[in-house]
Structures are given as structure tokens and as C-alpha cells.
Amino acid sequence: MIRRPRTAAGLALAVALSLPLPLAATAGTALAAPSATAPAAPPTTDTKAAARLRLPAPTGPYAVGRSTLPLTDHSRPDLWVPTAKARELMVDMYYPARRGTGAPARYATIEEIRALLKQAGLEGKVEPERLSDTAVHSRTGARPAAGKYPLLVLSPGFGASRYSLTSLAEDLAGRGYVVATVDHAYESIGTTFPGGRTLTCAACEKVYGTEGGTRYATQGRAKDVAFVLDQLTGRHPAWRYAHLIDGRRIGMAGHSLGGASAASAMAGDHRIRAGLNLDGAFGDPVPADGLGSRPFLMLGTDDGVHRPGGRDKTWDLAWSRLNGWKRWLTVAGADHYSFSDAPVLGDQLGFPVTGADPSAPRPALSGERSAALTRSYVAAFFDLHLRHIPQPLLDGPSQVYPEVKFNDPTRTRTAPADRTARITPTALSAG
């Protein structure tokens, strides 16, 4: 089930501003209480600087480099466009870098943002240049820091582009990971490929409301990720800095459909040692015999959808089949987009970007809080399972993040009624 945005404007802004929100927080540091009001811009005499959208800074010790890697899998045709005889992917590689090197990266191309706004009927209402020029913290051409690092693959929600997970990717790279964010051809509102081609979401109408559509899309992404790993860790890697990657330590996470794809990718590829799903329904069920005892984390909304016994039954089924270390966490005050860049940018713009009915209440969590929380739990999970660093944050409820609930379906059989939760008939959990 994909939690589909109810309005074109919501879809566009959710994608343009990057669907789910990443939670950014410095480990061990308490943050301000959740707030539904957008944080005020810091006082400045530079009006233009004050108006510029910004993502939160990475919390780790490294500077962050970024390079873009177009990949083409000639062994299979595109999933959605038969005339495209090969499967194309656009991958952003984030990596630990040396400070003071490289040039500032861009959030997204103007063409990508323009395609998004056009699809949503928002041309003339939102400046594409402003979104495209969002201040990020990664730098192109940056010299890599010495060493070898675990590799993480991030897959965005359906309809969204890889840039919707920029804040999370930058934070993980700053903490000492190589991160590959993947755009899957024809599955986003707009992705610019080499030669200036901006491909749009040919898959959108084929998946929404189609029986088996999400399973097909999820399995397709699993194949995409296997190909990306081949290209990054094979004998003749496609990325110039592939020597940074420790191929024995690979993990995957994603938002919505991208999160569900993490389980599918693990089922077919034992190179992936740990997986994480951010609020995505498992359109392709976890295999009956589990994932080979590998760890998996489910992090979603604390509502009538993703609590145990909630309307998304795929989480209950997945939990019963996961046979390794596992956690089922839900976040009070979050909505489906609270695991992407959308809330951070929406707060700064001054209007909601949840993709829900405009009359619906805004999420209780601010964008800043959402980003901090997401970043902290994602990093803790991979630090524990790829670096073997103990993480008390994953042992139980935290005073730093009281919004996060640890669920035990063996004790909780039904979810409390939640009149504010919404889910669309196609029930795919978004993205």
C-alpha cells in the first residue's frame, strides 16, 4: 500500500521538498520539545541569505563530498517504458571528505524542480530556483578522507527523487559512511539524466491502484540495488572513489516504497547485512523464512496505520517473519513525510508539504525535530550492526526522544482507534 498524496500540490511539494523528513540530531543531546510552528529565521541584514532554504548541518566529524554517477544496466529493459531497452539509474555518492576541498553542491536541478511544480500545477506559485538553490552541506569534487567505510544505499519514496533524502545522506556521510542515493528511472516526478533529459514518472499511473503494481515496483528496485552494488564493489568499479568502500559492511534504508525495497533487496542479495524501512508498506512481503537472521528496523508513524494491528497489515506480517535482531518503532506526532526533507523545507516556506488534505492539521513534529530524530535512529541502527558499536538508543524508550515508542506485537494485538490517521484506498505507504 502506497500512501498516496491526496492533492497534486501535496505531491509536488512533497517531492520537490523531498517527501519524508530526515530526523537530524546530535547523538546524546536533548533537543527542544516538538513544535508544530515553523522556526523563525535567524535575524540577518542580508534579506536574500535569510530567505534561502537550508538543510540542517551534518552532525559527524567529517566534511561531506558528493559525486553523481549515471549507471545503465544493459542486461534488462526498463520496467515501465518498453522502448527504453536498458534500465537507467542516477546515483549520488556521498562520502567522508577533507575539509576545505570541493565546491558547494546543488540540492536539485532546476529542471527537476520545474517538472515537479508543473506536475502539481504550481507553476508561478513556487520559485523553482529557490528550491533548487537550497543550501546543502555536501561539496562536489571534494577530496576523500583516508580510510574504508561502510556502504549504505538509500532509496526514495515512489514519485520522489533521490534528493528527498539529502539531509539524511549528508548526515550519514559526515558520520563516516559512504552513501549511495538512487533515482530509479521513470519512478520520480522529475530526474535529470545525462544529456539534459529529465524523465518523468511514467510508472505513477501504472502503479497506483493496480493489483500487484507495488510488488512489481518493489522487486524492480531490489534488482536496481543489486546492480548498483555490482557497479560499486565489483572488480572494475564505476565510481572513482570505490576504494573507500568496505564491501563487507553494506546496509540499505529507504522511505516508503524505498523502505519496503530494503527488505526485498536483502531477500535477494546477501551482501546487504542490515536493512531499515521508513514508513513503507511491504508491497513485496518478507519471505516466509525471513532474511537469514539479518537485522531489520521498522520506523514509522505512531497512528492507526503503523502501530501493531494497524491498517497496514504488511508490518504485522513482516514482524512475524523477521528472524534476526529487529525493532518496531513508531513516532508520535509524525506523518508519512516526516522521514524526508519535506518538513524541514516546509517549515521554512511557511506551509505544509505533507501531501494530505490542506485542511488537515500539520504534523506535531517540527521539521527540525523530525530530521534530528530520523538521523539519530538511522545512524544508531547502522552503527550497531555494521560497526558493532553499542547503541543504548535502540534498547528501549529514550528521554531524549520521548516521541519514539517501542512496540511489542506479542503484547499489543490491536491498535487504538485513531480518527486523525488517513490512508488512501490503494494503501501503499507512500512514496
Side-chain angles (χ1 to χ4, degrees):
M1 53 186 265
I2 290 177
R3 263 197 270 201
R4 186 181 190 182
R6 294 193 170 195
T7 64
L11 173 61
L13 288 172
V15 177
L17 304 178
S18 302
L19 274 92
L21 38 134
L23 310 154
T26 302
T29 302
L31 300 181
S35 170
T37 58
T44 175
T45 57
D46 187 338
T47 304
K48 184 176 181 180
R52 190 180 187 190
L53 303 174
R54 296 179 180 276
L55 295 182
T59 57
Y62 294 98
V64 179
R66 189 205 297 188
S67 55
T68 299
L69 185 67
L71 296 175
T72 303
D73 184 355
H74 294 283
S75 71
R76 58 193 178 110
D78 187 80
L79 299 171
W80 311 106
V81 179
T83 55
K85 298 182 187 278
R87 179 66 166 167
E88 293 184 274
L89 306 169
M90 284 296 290
V91 182
D92 276 342
M93 300 298 304
Y94 296 82
Y95 56 93
R98 298 185 183 183
R99 297 194 178 278
T101 64
R106 199 169 189 84
Y107 184 63
T109 70
I110 292 177
E111 291 74 19
E112 288 169 333
I113 298 299
R114 187 172 287 125
L116 174 68
L117 299 179
K118 180 179 180 179
Q119 176 74 17
L122 293 175
E123 292 176 293
K125 299 178 182 179
V126 178
E127 299 173 3
E129 293 81 6
R130 189 179 182 200
L131 281 173
S132 174
D133 193 43
T134 294
V136 299
H137 302 276
S138 47
R139 300 177 70 86
T140 61
R143 296 171 60 192
K148 280 190 172 291
Y149 307 93
L151 170 65
L152 301 178
V153 178
L154 299 184
S155 181
F158 189 76
S161 182
R162 67 192 188 281
Y163 61 76
S164 66
L165 299 176
T166 298
S167 178
L168 178 58
E170 289 185 336
D171 188 67
L172 290 167
R175 294 173 184 255
Y177 289 90
V178 173
V179 182
T181 60
V182 184
D183 253 338
H184 310 266
Y186 299 108
E187 294 182 21
S188 68
I189 295 301
T191 298
T192 302
F193 280 78
R197 296 172 299 134
T198 299
L199 304 185
T200 55
C201 194
C204 285
E205 294 307 317
K206 297 181 180 181
V207 169
Y208 286 126
T210 301
E211 185 69 26
T214 50
R215 185 168 196 171
Y216 179 69
T218 305
Q219 292 174 341
R221 289 200 177 189
K223 294 177 182 177
D224 290 344
V225 170
F227 177 71
V228 170
L229 296 183
D230 290 343
Q231 296 299 299
L232 294 178
T233 64
R235 293 182 61 185
H236 303 288
W239 184 45
R240 64 180 299 189
Y241 296 138
H243 63 275
L244 296 175
I245 296 172
D246 181 350
R248 300 166 301 175
R249 296 184 291 169
I250 298 175
M252 181 179 172
H255 172 248
S256 194
L257 182 72
S261 299
S264 297
M266 290 179 70
D269 196 326
H270 286 277
R271 290 174 294 184
I272 305 173
R273 293 180 52 186
L276 192 155
N277 180 355
L278 297 170
D279 209 51
F282 294 89
D284 180 33
V286 171
D289 59 353
L291 297 175
S293 300
R294 286 167 291 171
F296 202 91
L297 172 64
M298 304 188 306
L299 178 64
T301 54
D302 185 49
D303 55 20
V305 178
H306 279 149
R307 291 176 189 151
R311 292 195 294 280
D312 182 357
K313 304 301 182 184
T314 69
W315 277 41
D316 292 275
L317 178 62
W319 181 263
S320 70
R321 293 180 171 183
L322 292 171
N323 56 0
W325 183 103
K326 58 185 179 180
R327 293 290 185 275
W328 182 336
L329 309 182
T330 51
V331 184
D335 73 0
H336 183 62
Y337 303 103
S338 294
F339 306 95
S340 70
D341 295 348
V344 172
L345 297 176
D347 280 358
Q348 295 174 55
L349 286 170
F351 52 79
V353 292
T354 62
D357 187 324
S359 64
R362 296 181 66 178
L365 285 182
S366 68
E368 179 182 358
R369 182 66 172 176
S370 297
L373 186 155
T374 300
R375 287 171 155 191
S376 294
Y377 279 88
V378 172
F381 174 75
F382 288 117
D383 279 353
L384 174 62
H385 296 293
L386 298 183
R387 288 176 161 155
H388 306 295
I389 301 173
Q391 298 294 321
L393 189 63
L394 298 175
D395 291 340
S398 166
Q399 292 183 350
V400 177
Y401 296 109
E403 306 94 331
V404 178
K405 177 182 178 181
F406 282 65
N407 296 284
D408 183 353
T410 62
R411 298 178 183 176
T412 306
R413 294 299 181 185
T414 59
D418 187 335
R419 298 181 182 275
T420 64
R422 290 179 169 84
I423 190 166
T424 58
T426 52
L428 282 173
S429 210

